[in-house]
Amino acid sequence: MTSMVAPQTGGAALDRRARTYQVRTYGCQMNVHDSERLSGLLEAAGYQRADEGADADVVVFNTCAVRENADNKLYGNLSHLAPRKHAEPDMQIAVGGCLAQKDRETVLRKAPWVDVVFGTHNIGSLPALLDRARHNRVAQVEIAEALQEFPSALPASRESSYAAWVSISVGCNNTCTFCIVPALRGKEVDRRPGDVLAEVRSLVDQGVLEITLLGQNVNAYGVSFADRDQPRDRGAFATLLRACGSIDGLERVRFTSPHPAEFTDDVIEAMAETPNVCPTLHMPLQSGSDRILRAMRRSYRAERYLGIIERVRAAIPHAAITTDLIVGFPGETEEDFQATLDVAAAARFATAFTFQYSKRPGTPAADLDGQIPKAVVSERYQRLIELQERISLEENAAQIGGTVELLVATGEGRKDASTARMSGRARDGRLVHFAPGGTEQIRPGDIVVTTVTGAAPHHLIADATLIEHRRTRAGDAHAAGRKPRTGVGLGMPGLGAPEARPEAVGCTR
C-alpha cells in the first residue's frame, strides 16, 4: 500500500492512504484492453487498485452499447451504488466507453449521482476529470468527437503476466447496418508498425509469451497510412504478422478480428509460414444468407466465405476456426435462416459466438421493415445452438488421443478446485482442463504438454500424465505478482496527486 504524508502539524506527520479504484468492464476485447489503460492511468495518478470484494473510493464503468440490454445493465448497477454515494459523498462514480459516447446527455439525467462521464476518444482525461469533479463538487461530462491520442500511448496496467492485447488500430470504416461501433469509435486509425512492434518487444521483455493483435478489422490494417502520394499497402497486415515472428521470446501470436471481404491469401501464407502465429482464426460470418448479408452491408457472400475457410484449412490443416452469427436480422425468412445453418454445417466451426439480433437506435437496421418477433428469433436461435453444440463436440472429440501444448491460465475453470485440475489454452485456442500431477508446482504462465483424454462442446479434458512441464519467465512473473506495464503517458500537466484520505479505522461497510 502506498502511504502519503500530509503537511506536518505540530511536528507530527499524519499517515494517509491513497484513494482506491475499481474498473467494471462490459463488452468486447477492445473494452477489456481500454480498461487496462484506465487502470494504468489511475495508478499513474496515484490511485491504488481496490482489494477484491472491497468498496473502492472510485468506481469506473467501462460500458458497451452493442446489445439491447446494455442500458438496463448499466443503470441497474448505478442504482445499486446510489445509497453508498449518498452515505459517502467523497466516493466517485465514472461512466465511460461506448454507451457513454452514445448517451452522453442521458447518463446524468437517469443517474444524477454520477461524477464523471467520458467517451471512447478521451479515456486519457479520466484522472483530470475526477480531480475536477472532486474540486468543483459538480459532475464533469467530456465527450470528444474524434480520437485525441492513440490509446496505446496511455499507461496500461495489464491484467495478465503471460498474455497481452496489443492494439494495431481503432475505429472501423465499414458500414454494417446492425453495428453501432463505427459511430462510437470513429473511422479507422492505424498505428505505425514500429510502434506496434516496440510495444510487443516491451511486453516480451517483461515476460509475456502470447500477444493478440487487436483491431475492429485487422486485415484492413494500414488503410489510414495511405494518402494521395502513398497508395495503400494491402499487404501491411501480413507483413506485421511476419515481423512478429522475428521477436525472440514471443511464443504465440493471435489476432482478432478480420473481415471476410478483405481477407487475402498473403495473410494465410503468413499464418502458415510464421511459426509463432497460432493455428486459429476468428472469422465473423454473421449470416449464411446472401440476401441477408446484402441487407447487412457485408460485402462478401457465403461462397466467398467458405472459400476462405477452405484455403485456410488447406494451408493449416489443424486450424480451429471460430465465428460470430446473428439470428433474426430484420427480414430474415426461414429460408435465410436455413442458409445460415447450411454454412455453419459446411464450415464446421470449432465454436461460434451466437447472438439474437438486437435493435440498436442509431443503426440503419433499427429502421428496417420486417423486424422478427421475439418468439421466432428465440426458436431459431435454439436450433442454431443445438447444431453448433453438436459440431463443437464432434470437433473436440476428434482431438482425443492427441497431444496439446498448453499455456497455463488462471481462473478459466469453474470446477478446477473440485476436480484438482488446472486450465490452459492450446495453441489453437481451445480451453483444456488438465490434471497437473507430480509434485512440481505449475504456475499460470508455464507451458505444459499433455494428452487429450475427453471432450465437451466448450472444452477438452486432459487427465493423462504430463509429457512436459516448462517453467517460464511468465510463470515467474505471475508467482511474484508482477504484471507488465506499457505506455508513455500523454505528457500533459496534471492537477496533482488525488487528495489522500485518512486511513480508515474499523469497519467501512
Side-chain angles (χ1 to χ4, degrees):
M1 177 172 291
T2 302
S3 63
M4 302 182 66
V5 179
Q8 292 189 8
T9 303
L14 177 65
D15 225 14
R16 296 165 72 87
R17 69 177 177 87
R19 287 171 65 83
T20 59
Y21 79 90
Q22 177 191 73
V23 180
R24 302 185 187 180
T25 309
Y26 307 97
C28 66
Q29 300 98 326
M30 294 283 187
N31 273 19
V32 172
H33 192 21
D34 280 349
S35 289
E36 292 182 326
R37 296 184 183 111
L38 292 171
S39 296
L41 284 160
L42 291 171
E43 289 174 13
Y47 294 82
Q48 187 176 74
R49 189 187 298 255
D51 292 336
E52 191 72 30
D55 288 337
D57 300 320
V58 175
V59 179
V60 182
F61 292 89
N62 189 10
T63 64
C64 173
V66 172
R67 307 306 300 159
E68 190 172 12
N69 66 352
D71 313 52
N72 294 336
K73 182 179 292 186
L74 170 66
Y75 294 117
N77 286 323
L78 288 175
S79 68
H80 292 154
L81 284 178
R84 185 174 164 229
K85 175 67 176 177
H86 179 74
E88 302 176 44
D90 284 342
M91 75 87 64
Q92 291 184 290
I93 303 169
V95 177
C98 289
L99 194 63
Q101 186 81 21
K102 181 174 78 75
D103 292 345
R104 59 195 77 182
E105 289 88 9
T106 307
V107 175
L108 287 181
R109 179 170 54 81
K110 288 189 172 182
W113 54 92
V114 167
D115 297 276
V116 170
V117 181
F118 64 102
T120 58
H121 297 310
N122 63 319
I123 63 177
S125 302
L126 177 60
L129 292 171
L130 288 167
D131 282 347
R132 200 183 306 156
R134 187 167 53 249
H135 180 271
N136 296 341
R137 296 291 176 179
V138 64
Q140 301 294 308
V141 179
E142 184 177 293
I143 305 291
E145 297 301 333
L147 194 66
Q148 294 185 338
E149 179 83 3
F150 200 94
S152 293
L154 302 173
S157 177
R158 304 290 182 147
E159 292 297 322
S160 170
S161 300
Y162 48 86
W165 307 104
V166 175
S167 284
I168 67 171
S169 65
V170 294
C172 183
N173 293 343
N174 293 315
T175 58
C176 302
T177 56
F178 56 83
C179 185
I180 199 169
V181 168
L184 302 180
R185 290 193 175 264
K187 292 289 186 180
E188 180 172 333
V189 179
D190 301 313
R191 294 175 74 192
R192 293 287 174 180
D195 293 339
V196 174
L197 295 172
E199 182 177 351
V200 173
R201 291 189 186 97
S202 173
L203 289 163
V204 172
D205 287 345
Q206 295 175 75
V208 168
L209 299 181
E210 174 182 300
I211 60 105
T212 301
L213 302 175
L214 190 61
Q216 214 71 50
N217 180 6
V218 290
N219 52 318
Y221 176 69
V223 66
S224 68
F225 302 156
D227 55 33
R228 292 180 180 178
D229 301 320
Q230 180 180 350
R232 177 183 169 190
D233 177 8
R234 293 187 175 274
F237 182 60
T239 301
L240 185 65
L241 281 181
R242 291 183 186 275
C244 288
S246 66
I247 297 177
D248 289 339
L250 179 59
E251 299 194 18
R252 296 184 175 193
V253 179
R254 306 185 189 278
F255 59 88
T256 191
S257 292
H259 192 292
E262 296 196 67
F263 197 81
T264 48
D265 287 348
D266 63 335
V267 174
I268 299 174
E269 292 165 6
M271 292 174 64
E273 296 169 6
T274 309
N276 63 359
V277 175
C278 292
T280 180
L281 177 65
H282 183 73
M283 180 72 78
L285 170 62
Q286 308 302 4
S287 174
S289 163
D290 288 351
R291 192 180 72 83
I292 295 299
L293 288 172
R294 193 175 297 112
M296 289 178 167
R297 291 188 198 153
R298 301 284 288 181
S299 48
Y300 57 89
R301 301 296 174 254
E303 183 177 359
R304 171 172 168 73
Y305 183 95
L306 288 171
I308 293 170
I309 302 304
E310 186 176 312
R311 294 197 299 278
V312 169
R313 287 194 168 127
I316 314 167
H318 301 297
I321 297 173
T322 62
T323 197
D324 296 334
L325 294 167
I326 296 174
V327 176
F329 187 82
E332 181 187 75
T333 64
E334 179 62 28
E335 183 180 8
D336 293 321
F337 175 67
Q338 184 59 51
T340 296
L341 295 179
D342 292 344
V343 174
R348 297 193 65 81
F349 300 113
T351 191
F353 299 91
T354 52
F355 306 94
Q356 298 183 43
Y357 169 73
S358 181
K359 184 176 181 179
R360 302 308 290 139
T363 62
D367 299 322
L368 290 178
D369 294 333
Q371 301 286 330
I372 310 297
K374 179 69 174 175
V376 175
V377 176
S378 297
E379 188 273 334
R380 289 176 182 170
Y381 179 77
Q382 189 57 44
R383 278 191 280 157
L384 176 60
I385 291 291
E386 290 172 358
L387 170 67
Q388 185 55 52
E389 293 268 306
R390 176 176 60 79
I391 293 172
S392 294
L393 178 58
E394 291 170 356
E395 292 297 306
N396 281 353
Q399 311 301 313
I400 295 175
T403 59
V404 285
E405 178 197 89
L406 307 180
L407 175 55
V408 181
T410 179
E412 295 212 43
R414 286 176 296 181
K415 298 180 180 179
D416 282 359
S418 60
T419 61
R421 295 187 182 112
M422 297 182 71
S423 296
R425 291 278 172 179
R427 291 186 61 83
D428 65 6
R430 286 183 167 92
L431 176 63
V432 183
H433 302 303
F434 68 95
T439 57
E440 186 178 27
Q441 182 186 18
I442 298 175
R443 299 91 46 90
D446 283 353
I447 298 289
V448 300
V449 179
T450 187
T451 304
V452 179
T453 59
H458 303 292
H459 64 265
L460 301 174
I461 299 294
D463 281 339
T465 302
L466 291 186
I467 298 170
E468 179 185 340
H469 168 215
R470 174 161 57 90
R471 295 172 71 86
T472 68
R473 287 196 304 134
D476 294 342
H478 179 87
R482 297 192 308 270
K483 293 182 179 178
R485 293 177 178 271
T486 53
V488 296
L490 289 172
M492 297 190 303
L495 300 179
E499 180 184 351
R501 300 181 62 180
E503 187 70 56
V505 177
C507 181
T508 59
R509 286 181 173 273

